[in-house]
Amino acid sequence: MSSLQTLLAPSLSISFSSSNSKPRYSPLESLETCSSMAQLKQNHAHLTKLGLSSDNDAMGRLIKFCALSNDGDLGYALHLFDTLPHPDAFIYNTLIRGYLLRRQAADCIVLYLRMLQDSVLPNKFTFPCLVRACSVDGAVEKGAQIHAHVFKFGFANDGFCLNNLIHMYVDFKALENARKVFNKMPRRDVVSWTTLISGYAQLGLVDAAFEVFERMPERNSVSWNAMIAAYVQSNRFHEAFALFNRMRAENLALDKFVAASMLSACTGLGALEQGEWIHKYIRNKGIELDAKLATTIIDMYCKCGCLEKAYETFKGLTYKSISSWNCMIGGFAMHGKGEAAISIFKDMEKQGIVPDNITFVNILSACSHSGLVEEGRYYFQYMTRVHGIEPMMEHYGCMVDLLGRAGLLDEAKKLIDQMPMTPDVGVLGALFGACRIHGNFELGEQVGKRVIELEPNNSGRYVLLANLYVKAGRYEDMANVRRMMNERGVKKVPGFSVIELEGEVNEFIAGGRDHPESKEIYAKLDEMLDRIRAIGYVPCGAEGVVEELDEEEEKENPLNYHSEKLAIAFGLLKTKAGDTFRITKNLRVCRDCHHASKLISKVFDREIVVRDRNRFHHFKDGECSCKDYW
């Protein structure tokens, strides 16, 4: 029996003097139930009276509470540490963890150096914290030195240490070093493989990540999710769905992390039916609906064009986090329902939820998409006056967009001139777009050239400036813009549209004929165009006016064959009068398709919901929800 055990032996037993007596515990046992610093200090005093103020076991327990508990005090832990003549590895490790929990990474390394100076040998619990400290601090050189110490002190085969080293090198974006550690491991577990997959994914090397995934001897839900998330984050949604279906075929349970990744994939493709299936699965399996997953579900419904279900889900939440409120406000904003967004915001404030900067980005965006100029001005001032939130770049961008769309170009330019920071391409781009809409050629040319300087590889900026010149009849300048694009090797982003029907996602490109029902789709397209021509449809740019360049779908593909028209024709083939179908487009809807869609909704009695790069358009009975304000 140790000296400590001998000293405390009498108090280790529990005795009862009567039926009403309470058990008497040892001082060390009472430390296990310690819940406050006041209680800990009482225990400290008791241990000091017992002569244990220099005992590593007793003091180590005190230090552990102070350093690692939410109710602890790291300063007091360090005070106790300084009183110990010979602190052991457990105490050093505990304090290193304490520093790490508080993200004081540099202090972890300093304490480790003191540990070595005091000739205390590190153990396998020392290095994982030190490696993570280097990751947190971005300390590449120190990380390499700690790596060397892992081997020097004999932990070259410790899986926990090595997994942390792989993670560290992934954080440093040093995949070659991460791979070296991985390749030399005597035994690799699921964590080793999954960390490497995530590393490749973070650098956009998704195919390399998939090669690692395929080599895994065994996988768990974390590794499946890592690979699915890699596809989702790279906008490779079809591959995410293929992998998800393979996971289901192997009868693996869907957890909340995989569910969140797949809901994001559904959002990216506008795959409402599959998103609904996942939501139903979450409910039926009792998967925990935390704030992140709840927000992901709401976001999926909003961005798949089903605002009603988004709001129903939102209303059904027992606890609504700030992210849930922001998501719902943003959903109303992108659907052009500014008044509803403001109403939700007011409810949020009534319930005592403090808005953040994202809340006001969404509110100002809602005002912009709905043309609520006075309300936008009010909330732009309100966020600072009431909540002390200083406008950021995004807030200025929304205000410039709002004022510009409303034709208040002078006020928009004045706001830009008064910004406390240099306007970015988003802010200037909003003004540029407004100049084109309202025909302010002089200001538009000035801002357009500046925007191209800031974003020389964005084809849309060149197209917008060229179109401005077309409107002004300056065809030579338009040709110069085209020439500049060619010389710089700037390629236009190809437009595509996606429609989900009967659980199948169908993708169309302008003029594409790869779809198995291509013949029927083009026949329906011809019928569709004939019927809307009968009620007055004339393609935009076909009335003797020189056609503008079209960022969305180049003129090599005629207006009639734009991707959303093909998707609409397919939707008409697969639905009946009175039905609704939804289309997702990667770029902004062009004027011609917007005009045609309104007429198609009337002639064929369909509600057509289109999500473009900026917002939603609900076409019904010959009208659009945007009221042509887009």
Side-chain angles (χ1 to χ4, degrees), residues 311-345:
Y311 188 60
E312 179 185 318
T313 303
F314 173 77
K315 292 289 285 184
L317 294 178
T318 306
Y319 167 72
K320 298 178 180 70
S321 67
I322 181 68
S323 60
S324 300
W325 286 98
N326 286 345
C327 187
M328 196 67 248
I329 293 169
F332 280 120
M334 72 177 73
H335 284 266
K337 298 185 178 295
E339 293 88 351
I342 291 171
S343 176
I344 287 284
F345 172 72

PDB file of all heavy atoms in Angstrom, residues 311-345:
ATOM      1  N   TYR A 311     -41.483  26.235 -44.300  1.00  0.00           N
ATOM      2  CA  TYR A 311     -42.099  26.960 -43.187  1.00  0.00           C
ATOM      3  C   TYR A 311     -42.778  26.001 -42.209  1.00  0.00           C
ATOM      4  O   TYR A 311     -42.718  26.194 -40.993  1.00  0.00           O
ATOM      5  CB  TYR A 311     -43.109  27.974 -43.726  1.00  0.00           C
ATOM      6  CG  TYR A 311     -43.648  28.903 -42.661  1.00  0.00           C
ATOM      7  CD1 TYR A 311     -42.785  29.734 -41.949  1.00  0.00           C
ATOM      8  CD2 TYR A 311     -45.009  28.941 -42.360  1.00  0.00           C
ATOM      9  CE1 TYR A 311     -43.261  30.586 -40.959  1.00  0.00           C
ATOM     10  CE2 TYR A 311     -45.496  29.790 -41.377  1.00  0.00           C
ATOM     11  CZ  TYR A 311     -44.616  30.608 -40.686  1.00  0.00           C
ATOM     12  OH  TYR A 311     -45.093  31.448 -39.695  1.00  0.00           O
ATOM     13  N   GLU A 312     -43.380  24.945 -42.744  1.00  0.00           N
ATOM     14  CA  GLU A 312     -44.001  23.929 -41.881  1.00  0.00           C
ATOM     15  C   GLU A 312     -42.956  23.271 -40.985  1.00  0.00           C
ATOM     16  O   GLU A 312     -43.185  23.057 -39.782  1.00  0.00           O
ATOM     17  CB  GLU A 312     -44.670  22.876 -42.775  1.00  0.00           C
ATOM     18  CG  GLU A 312     -45.349  21.739 -42.053  1.00  0.00           C
ATOM     19  CD  GLU A 312     -45.872  20.681 -43.015  1.00  0.00           C
ATOM     20  OE1 GLU A 312     -46.435  21.052 -44.055  1.00  0.00           O
ATOM     21  OE2 GLU A 312     -45.683  19.479 -42.730  1.00  0.00           O
ATOM     22  N   THR A 313     -41.796  22.948 -41.561  1.00  0.00           N
ATOM     23  CA  THR A 313     -40.700  22.351 -40.781  1.00  0.00           C
ATOM     24  C   THR A 313     -40.199  23.338 -39.735  1.00  0.00           C
ATOM     25  O   THR A 313     -39.971  22.975 -38.576  1.00  0.00           O
ATOM     26  CB  THR A 313     -39.543  21.947 -41.712  1.00  0.00           C
ATOM     27  OG1 THR A 313     -40.025  21.048 -42.709  1.00  0.00           O
ATOM     28  CG2 THR A 313     -38.427  21.273 -40.929  1.00  0.00           C
ATOM     29  N   PHE A 314     -40.030  24.568 -40.139  1.00  0.00           N
ATOM     30  CA  PHE A 314     -39.566  25.619 -39.230  1.00  0.00           C
ATOM     31  C   PHE A 314     -40.527  25.791 -38.050  1.00  0.00           C
ATOM     32  O   PHE A 314     -40.098  25.840 -36.884  1.00  0.00           O
ATOM     33  CB  PHE A 314     -39.426  26.929 -40.007  1.00  0.00           C
ATOM     34  CG  PHE A 314     -39.110  28.131 -39.164  1.00  0.00           C
ATOM     35  CD1 PHE A 314     -37.828  28.349 -38.678  1.00  0.00           C
ATOM     36  CD2 PHE A 314     -40.098  29.051 -38.847  1.00  0.00           C
ATOM     37  CE1 PHE A 314     -37.537  29.458 -37.896  1.00  0.00           C
ATOM     38  CE2 PHE A 314     -39.817  30.160 -38.064  1.00  0.00           C
ATOM     39  CZ  PHE A 314     -38.533  30.364 -37.591  1.00  0.00           C
ATOM     40  N   LYS A 315     -41.802  25.857 -38.351  1.00  0.00           N
ATOM     41  CA  LYS A 315     -42.802  26.049 -37.293  1.00  0.00           C
ATOM     42  C   LYS A 315     -42.833  24.865 -36.326  1.00  0.00           C
ATOM     43  O   LYS A 315     -43.151  25.023 -35.140  1.00  0.00           O
ATOM     44  CB  LYS A 315     -44.198  26.250 -37.897  1.00  0.00           C
ATOM     45  CG  LYS A 315     -44.363  27.555 -38.663  1.00  0.00           C
ATOM     46  CD  LYS A 315     -44.380  28.759 -37.748  1.00  0.00           C
ATOM     47  CE  LYS A 315     -45.703  28.894 -36.994  1.00  0.00           C
ATOM     48  NZ  LYS A 315     -45.736  30.133 -36.187  1.00  0.00           N
ATOM     49  N   GLY A 316     -42.498  23.676 -36.821  1.00  0.00           N
ATOM     50  CA  GLY A 316     -42.560  22.473 -35.995  1.00  0.00           C
ATOM     51  C   GLY A 316     -41.353  22.261 -35.098  1.00  0.00           C
ATOM     52  O   GLY A 316     -41.346  21.337 -34.276  1.00  0.00           O
ATOM     53  N   LEU A 317     -40.328  23.108 -35.223  1.00  0.00           N
ATOM     54  CA  LEU A 317     -39.129  22.943 -34.404  1.00  0.00           C
ATOM     55  C   LEU A 317     -39.420  23.311 -32.951  1.00  0.00           C
ATOM     56  O   LEU A 317     -39.975  24.379 -32.670  1.00  0.00           O
ATOM     57  CB  LEU A 317     -37.989  23.819 -34.926  1.00  0.00           C
ATOM     58  CG  LEU A 317     -37.411  23.474 -36.304  1.00  0.00           C
ATOM     59  CD1 LEU A 317     -36.321  24.474 -36.681  1.00  0.00           C
ATOM     60  CD2 LEU A 317     -36.854  22.060 -36.321  1.00  0.00           C
ATOM     61  N   THR A 318     -39.012  22.435 -32.038  1.00  0.00           N
ATOM     62  CA  THR A 318     -39.164  22.725 -30.607  1.00  0.00           C
ATOM     63  C   THR A 318     -38.255  23.882 -30.209  1.00  0.00           C
ATOM     64  O   THR A 318     -38.655  24.780 -29.459  1.00  0.00           O
ATOM     65  CB  THR A 318     -38.804  21.485 -29.776  1.00  0.00           C
ATOM     66  OG1 THR A 318     -39.585  20.379 -30.223  1.00  0.00           O
ATOM     67  CG2 THR A 318     -39.082  21.724 -28.294  1.00  0.00           C
ATOM     68  N   TYR A 319     -37.047  23.843 -30.726  1.00  0.00           N
ATOM     69  CA  TYR A 319     -36.090  24.917 -30.466  1.00  0.00           C
ATOM     70  C   TYR A 319     -35.612  25.468 -31.791  1.00  0.00           C
ATOM     71  O   TYR A 319     -35.184  24.722 -32.678  1.00  0.00           O
ATOM     72  CB  TYR A 319     -34.893  24.401 -29.668  1.00  0.00           C
ATOM     73  CG  TYR A 319     -33.736  25.370 -29.634  1.00  0.00           C
ATOM     74  CD1 TYR A 319     -33.798  26.541 -28.884  1.00  0.00           C
ATOM     75  CD2 TYR A 319     -32.587  25.122 -30.387  1.00  0.00           C
ATOM     76  CE1 TYR A 319     -32.745  27.446 -28.871  1.00  0.00           C
ATOM     77  CE2 TYR A 319     -31.526  26.012 -30.379  1.00  0.00           C
ATOM     78  CZ  TYR A 319     -31.606  27.176 -29.624  1.00  0.00           C
ATOM     79  OH  TYR A 319     -30.571  28.072 -29.624  1.00  0.00           O
ATOM     80  N   LYS A 320     -35.718  26.769 -31.947  1.00  0.00           N
ATOM     81  CA  LYS A 320     -35.282  27.417 -33.186  1.00  0.00           C
ATOM     82  C   LYS A 320     -33.982  28.184 -32.912  1.00  0.00           C
ATOM     83  O   LYS A 320     -33.976  29.164 -32.173  1.00  0.00           O
ATOM     84  CB  LYS A 320     -36.363  28.377 -33.695  1.00  0.00           C
ATOM     85  CG  LYS A 320     -37.690  27.709 -34.055  1.00  0.00           C
ATOM     86  CD  LYS A 320     -38.706  28.745 -34.511  1.00  0.00           C
ATOM     87  CE  LYS A 320     -40.029  28.099 -34.870  1.00  0.00           C
ATOM     88  NZ  LYS A 320     -40.744  27.580 -33.689  1.00  0.00           N
ATOM     89  N   SER A 321     -32.906  27.715 -33.509  1.00  0.00           N
ATOM     90  CA  SER A 321     -31.611  28.391 -33.353  1.00  0.00           C
ATOM     91  C   SER A 321     -31.568  29.623 -34.252  1.00  0.00           C
ATOM     92  O   SER A 321     -32.406  29.788 -35.147  1.00  0.00           O
ATOM     93  CB  SER A 321     -30.473  27.442 -33.720  1.00  0.00           C
ATOM     94  OG  SER A 321     -30.524  27.144 -35.111  1.00  0.00           O
ATOM     95  N   ILE A 322     -30.573  30.460 -34.047  1.00  0.00           N
ATOM     96  CA  ILE A 322     -30.419  31.644 -34.885  1.00  0.00           C
ATOM     97  C   ILE A 322     -30.236  31.240 -36.340  1.00  0.00           C
ATOM     98  O   ILE A 322     -30.738  31.912 -37.252  1.00  0.00           O
ATOM     99  CB  ILE A 322     -29.222  32.509 -34.397  1.00  0.00           C
ATOM    100  CG1 ILE A 322     -29.062  33.777 -35.258  1.00  0.00           C
ATOM    101  CG2 ILE A 322     -27.929  31.722 -34.378  1.00  0.00           C
ATOM    102  CD1 ILE A 322     -30.155  34.768 -35.119  1.00  0.00           C
ATOM    103  N   SER A 323     -29.565  30.105 -36.574  1.00  0.00           N
ATOM    104  CA  SER A 323     -29.358  29.655 -37.959  1.00  0.00           C
ATOM    105  C   SER A 323     -30.672  29.259 -38.614  1.00  0.00           C
ATOM    106  O   SER A 323     -30.870  29.477 -39.815  1.00  0.00           O
ATOM    107  CB  SER A 323     -28.352  28.497 -38.012  1.00  0.00           C
ATOM    108  OG  SER A 323     -28.811  27.391 -37.265  1.00  0.00           O
ATOM    109  N   SER A 324     -31.594  28.683 -37.827  1.00  0.00           N
ATOM    110  CA  SER A 324     -32.910  28.308 -38.367  1.00  0.00           C
ATOM    111  C   SER A 324     -33.707  29.556 -38.750  1.00  0.00           C
ATOM    112  O   SER A 324     -34.335  29.618 -39.819  1.00  0.00           O
ATOM    113  CB  SER A 324     -33.691  27.478 -37.346  1.00  0.00           C
ATOM    114  OG  SER A 324     -33.009  26.294 -37.013  1.00  0.00           O
ATOM    115  N   TRP A 325     -33.702  30.562 -37.870  1.00  0.00           N
ATOM    116  CA  TRP A 325     -34.381  31.821 -38.173  1.00  0.00           C
ATOM    117  C   TRP A 325     -33.775  32.458 -39.421  1.00  0.00           C
ATOM    118  O   TRP A 325     -34.511  32.905 -40.332  1.00  0.00           O
ATOM    119  CB  TRP A 325     -34.265  32.787 -36.990  1.00  0.00           C
ATOM    120  CG  TRP A 325     -35.134  32.455 -35.814  1.00  0.00           C
ATOM    121  CD1 TRP A 325     -34.766  31.792 -34.676  1.00  0.00           C
ATOM    122  CD2 TRP A 325     -36.525  32.789 -35.638  1.00  0.00           C
ATOM    123  NE1 TRP A 325     -35.831  31.687 -33.812  1.00  0.00           N
ATOM    124  CE2 TRP A 325     -36.923  32.295 -34.374  1.00  0.00           C
ATOM    125  CE3 TRP A 325     -37.462  33.447 -36.433  1.00  0.00           C
ATOM    126  CZ2 TRP A 325     -38.224  32.435 -33.889  1.00  0.00           C
ATOM    127  CZ3 TRP A 325     -38.762  33.600 -35.954  1.00  0.00           C
ATOM    128  CH2 TRP A 325     -39.135  33.091 -34.691  1.00  0.00           C
ATOM    129  N   ASN A 326     -32.461  32.517 -39.480  1.00  0.00           N
ATOM    130  CA  ASN A 326     -31.801  33.141 -40.629  1.00  0.00           C
ATOM    131  C   ASN A 326     -32.131  32.412 -41.925  1.00  0.00           C
ATOM    132  O   ASN A 326     -32.351  33.036 -42.971  1.00  0.00           O
ATOM    133  CB  ASN A 326     -30.282  33.149 -40.422  1.00  0.00           C
ATOM    134  CG  ASN A 326     -29.831  34.180 -39.413  1.00  0.00           C
ATOM    135  OD1 ASN A 326     -30.583  35.082 -39.054  1.00  0.00           O
ATOM    136  ND2 ASN A 326     -28.605  34.054 -38.940  1.00  0.00           N
ATOM    137  N   CYS A 327     -32.161  31.086 -41.841  1.00  0.00           N
ATOM    138  CA  CYS A 327     -32.450  30.285 -43.028  1.00  0.00           C
ATOM    139  C   CYS A 327     -33.873  30.552 -43.534  1.00  0.00           C
ATOM    140  O   CYS A 327     -34.105  30.689 -44.742  1.00  0.00           O
ATOM    141  CB  CYS A 327     -32.265  28.803 -42.711  1.00  0.00           C
ATOM    142  SG  CYS A 327     -32.409  27.733 -44.144  1.00  0.00           S
ATOM    143  N   MET A 328     -34.818  30.656 -42.611  1.00  0.00           N
ATOM    144  CA  MET A 328     -36.212  30.882 -43.007  1.00  0.00           C
ATOM    145  C   MET A 328     -36.385  32.282 -43.589  1.00  0.00           C
ATOM    146  O   MET A 328     -37.081  32.473 -44.598  1.00  0.00           O
ATOM    147  CB  MET A 328     -37.127  30.687 -41.794  1.00  0.00           C
ATOM    148  CG  MET A 328     -38.601  30.513 -42.149  1.00  0.00           C
ATOM    149  SD  MET A 328     -38.919  28.979 -43.045  1.00  0.00           S
ATOM    150  CE  MET A 328     -39.376  29.600 -44.669  1.00  0.00           C
ATOM    151  N   ILE A 329     -35.739  33.273 -42.978  1.00  0.00           N
ATOM    152  CA  ILE A 329     -35.796  34.638 -43.519  1.00  0.00           C
ATOM    153  C   ILE A 329     -35.168  34.665 -44.918  1.00  0.00           C
ATOM    154  O   ILE A 329     -35.712  35.250 -45.858  1.00  0.00           O
ATOM    155  CB  ILE A 329     -35.067  35.621 -42.583  1.00  0.00           C
ATOM    156  CG1 ILE A 329     -35.822  35.755 -41.250  1.00  0.00           C
ATOM    157  CG2 ILE A 329     -34.921  36.994 -43.237  1.00  0.00           C
ATOM    158  CD1 ILE A 329     -35.052  36.496 -40.163  1.00  0.00           C
ATOM    159  N   GLY A 330     -34.021  33.979 -45.061  1.00  0.00           N
ATOM    160  CA  GLY A 330     -33.358  33.907 -46.360  1.00  0.00           C
ATOM    161  C   GLY A 330     -34.203  33.188 -47.401  1.00  0.00           C
ATOM    162  O   GLY A 330     -34.177  33.544 -48.586  1.00  0.00           O
ATOM    163  N   GLY A 331     -34.955  32.182 -46.963  1.00  0.00           N
ATOM    164  CA  GLY A 331     -35.840  31.460 -47.877  1.00  0.00           C
ATOM    165  C   GLY A 331     -36.917  32.366 -48.443  1.00  0.00           C
ATOM    166  O   GLY A 331     -37.161  32.399 -49.653  1.00  0.00           O
ATOM    167  N   PHE A 332     -37.567  33.118 -47.564  1.00  0.00           N
ATOM    168  CA  PHE A 332     -38.576  34.075 -48.040  1.00  0.00           C
ATOM    169  C   PHE A 332     -37.934  35.109 -48.962  1.00  0.00           C
ATOM    170  O   PHE A 332     -38.533  35.538 -49.948  1.00  0.00           O
ATOM    171  CB  PHE A 332     -39.256  34.763 -46.859  1.00  0.00           C
ATOM    172  CG  PHE A 332     -40.332  33.936 -46.202  1.00  0.00           C
ATOM    173  CD1 PHE A 332     -40.235  33.577 -44.862  1.00  0.00           C
ATOM    174  CD2 PHE A 332     -41.433  33.514 -46.920  1.00  0.00           C
ATOM    175  CE1 PHE A 332     -41.225  32.805 -44.257  1.00  0.00           C
ATOM    176  CE2 PHE A 332     -42.432  32.738 -46.331  1.00  0.00           C
ATOM    177  CZ  PHE A 332     -42.331  32.384 -44.994  1.00  0.00           C
ATOM    178  N   ALA A 333     -36.703  35.502 -48.647  1.00  0.00           N
ATOM    179  CA  ALA A 333     -36.007  36.509 -49.467  1.00  0.00           C
ATOM    180  C   ALA A 333     -35.812  36.007 -50.890  1.00  0.00           C
ATOM    181  O   ALA A 333     -36.130  36.706 -51.860  1.00  0.00           O
ATOM    182  CB  ALA A 333     -34.665  36.858 -48.833  1.00  0.00           C
ATOM    183  N   MET A 334     -35.259  34.786 -51.048  1.00  0.00           N
ATOM    184  CA  MET A 334     -34.949  34.306 -52.390  1.00  0.00           C
ATOM    185  C   MET A 334     -36.206  34.010 -53.211  1.00  0.00           C
ATOM    186  O   MET A 334     -36.159  33.946 -54.440  1.00  0.00           O
ATOM    187  CB  MET A 334     -34.034  33.075 -52.324  1.00  0.00           C
ATOM    188  CG  MET A 334     -34.693  31.819 -51.843  1.00  0.00           C
ATOM    189  SD  MET A 334     -33.562  30.401 -51.895  1.00  0.00           S
ATOM    190  CE  MET A 334     -32.484  30.769 -50.529  1.00  0.00           C
ATOM    191  N   HIS A 335     -37.344  33.852 -52.526  1.00  0.00           N
ATOM    192  CA  HIS A 335     -38.612  33.641 -53.238  1.00  0.00           C
ATOM    193  C   HIS A 335     -39.350  34.955 -53.500  1.00  0.00           C
ATOM    194  O   HIS A 335     -40.492  34.950 -53.970  1.00  0.00           O
ATOM    195  CB  HIS A 335     -39.508  32.686 -52.453  1.00  0.00           C
ATOM    196  CG  HIS A 335     -39.092  31.251 -52.570  1.00  0.00           C
ATOM    197  ND1 HIS A 335     -39.624  30.387 -53.504  1.00  0.00           N
ATOM    198  CD2 HIS A 335     -38.166  30.520 -51.889  1.00  0.00           C
ATOM    199  CE1 HIS A 335     -39.054  29.195 -53.385  1.00  0.00           C
ATOM    200  NE2 HIS A 335     -38.170  29.252 -52.402  1.00  0.00           N
ATOM    201  N   GLY A 336     -38.698  36.068 -53.163  1.00  0.00           N
ATOM    202  CA  GLY A 336     -39.293  37.365 -53.444  1.00  0.00           C
ATOM    203  C   GLY A 336     -40.424  37.753 -52.522  1.00  0.00           C
ATOM    204  O   GLY A 336     -41.268  38.584 -52.874  1.00  0.00           O
ATOM    205  N   LYS A 337     -40.450  37.165 -51.337  1.00  0.00           N
ATOM    206  CA  LYS A 337     -41.509  37.463 -50.369  1.00  0.00           C
ATOM    207  C   LYS A 337     -40.928  38.321 -49.238  1.00  0.00           C
ATOM    208  O   LYS A 337     -40.716  37.856 -48.120  1.00  0.00           O
ATOM    209  CB  LYS A 337     -42.125  36.167 -49.841  1.00  0.00           C
ATOM    210  CG  LYS A 337     -42.799  35.340 -50.949  1.00  0.00           C
ATOM    211  CD  LYS A 337     -43.507  34.128 -50.397  1.00  0.00           C
ATOM    212  CE  LYS A 337     -44.203  33.362 -51.518  1.00  0.00           C
ATOM    213  NZ  LYS A 337     -45.294  34.127 -52.138  1.00  0.00           N
ATOM    214  N   GLY A 338     -40.653  39.558 -49.577  1.00  0.00           N
ATOM    215  CA  GLY A 338     -40.004  40.461 -48.639  1.00  0.00           C
ATOM    216  C   GLY A 338     -40.814  40.756 -47.407  1.00  0.00           C
ATOM    217  O   GLY A 338     -40.277  40.792 -46.289  1.00  0.00           O
ATOM    218  N   GLU A 339     -42.126  40.962 -47.591  1.00  0.00           N
ATOM    219  CA  GLU A 339     -42.974  41.270 -46.435  1.00  0.00           C
ATOM    220  C   GLU A 339     -42.987  40.106 -45.450  1.00  0.00           C
ATOM    221  O   GLU A 339     -42.939  40.313 -44.228  1.00  0.00           O
ATOM    222  CB  GLU A 339     -44.402  41.590 -46.884  1.00  0.00           C
ATOM    223  CG  GLU A 339     -44.539  42.873 -47.681  1.00  0.00           C
ATOM    224  CD  GLU A 339     -44.318  42.655 -49.178  1.00  0.00           C
ATOM    225  OE1 GLU A 339     -43.898  41.537 -49.567  1.00  0.00           O
ATOM    226  OE2 GLU A 339     -44.545  43.612 -49.943  1.00  0.00           O
ATOM    227  N   ALA A 340     -43.048  38.871 -45.967  1.00  0.00           N
ATOM    228  CA  ALA A 340     -43.044  37.696 -45.095  1.00  0.00           C
ATOM    229  C   ALA A 340     -41.716  37.578 -44.344  1.00  0.00           C
ATOM    230  O   ALA A 340     -41.688  37.211 -43.167  1.00  0.00           O
ATOM    231  CB  ALA A 340     -43.305  36.427 -45.911  1.00  0.00           C
ATOM    232  N   ALA A 341     -40.622  37.898 -45.025  1.00  0.00           N
ATOM    233  CA  ALA A 341     -39.301  37.848 -44.379  1.00  0.00           C
ATOM    234  C   ALA A 341     -39.236  38.834 -43.219  1.00  0.00           C
ATOM    235  O   ALA A 341     -38.736  38.508 -42.132  1.00  0.00           O
ATOM    236  CB  ALA A 341     -38.207  38.157 -45.398  1.00  0.00           C
ATOM    237  N   ILE A 342     -39.762  40.027 -43.434  1.00  0.00           N
ATOM    238  CA  ILE A 342     -39.760  41.039 -42.373  1.00  0.00           C
ATOM    239  C   ILE A 342     -40.650  40.607 -41.220  1.00  0.00           C
ATOM    240  O   ILE A 342     -40.309  40.803 -40.043  1.00  0.00           O
ATOM    241  CB  ILE A 342     -40.210  42.402 -42.940  1.00  0.00           C
ATOM    242  CG1 ILE A 342     -39.127  42.950 -43.884  1.00  0.00           C
ATOM    243  CG2 ILE A 342     -40.483  43.405 -41.824  1.00  0.00           C
ATOM    244  CD1 ILE A 342     -39.539  44.174 -44.665  1.00  0.00           C
ATOM    245  N   SER A 343     -41.795  39.979 -41.536  1.00  0.00           N
ATOM    246  CA  SER A 343     -42.704  39.496 -40.494  1.00  0.00           C
ATOM    247  C   SER A 343     -42.026  38.441 -39.614  1.00  0.00           C
ATOM    248  O   SER A 343     -42.132  38.467 -38.384  1.00  0.00           O
ATOM    249  CB  SER A 343     -43.965  38.914 -41.135  1.00  0.00           C
ATOM    250  OG  SER A 343     -44.816  38.366 -40.161  1.00  0.00           O
ATOM    251  N   ILE A 344     -41.287  37.505 -40.251  1.00  0.00           N
ATOM    252  CA  ILE A 344     -40.550  36.476 -39.504  1.00  0.00           C
ATOM    253  C   ILE A 344     -39.486  37.127 -38.619  1.00  0.00           C
ATOM    254  O   ILE A 344     -39.281  36.736 -37.468  1.00  0.00           O
ATOM    255  CB  ILE A 344     -39.877  35.482 -40.482  1.00  0.00           C
ATOM    256  CG1 ILE A 344     -40.925  34.581 -41.120  1.00  0.00           C
ATOM    257  CG2 ILE A 344     -38.840  34.633 -39.773  1.00  0.00           C
ATOM    258  CD1 ILE A 344     -41.442  33.480 -40.229  1.00  0.00           C
ATOM    259  N   PHE A 345     -38.814  38.134 -39.160  1.00  0.00           N
ATOM    260  CA  PHE A 345     -37.796  38.842 -38.384  1.00  0.00           C
ATOM    261  C   PHE A 345     -38.409  39.475 -37.133  1.00  0.00           C
ATOM    262  O   PHE A 345     -37.824  39.416 -36.039  1.00  0.00           O
ATOM    263  CB  PHE A 345     -37.131  39.911 -39.250  1.00  0.00           C
ATOM    264  CG  PHE A 345     -36.199  40.811 -38.501  1.00  0.00           C
ATOM    265  CD1 PHE A 345     -34.975  40.348 -38.051  1.00  0.00           C
ATOM    266  CD2 PHE A 345     -36.549  42.129 -38.216  1.00  0.00           C
ATOM    267  CE1 PHE A 345     -34.107  41.175 -37.335  1.00  0.00           C
ATOM    268  CE2 PHE A 345     -35.693  42.962 -37.514  1.00  0.00           C
ATOM    269  CZ  PHE A 345     -34.475  42.482 -37.071  1.00  0.00           C
TER     270      PHE A 345
END
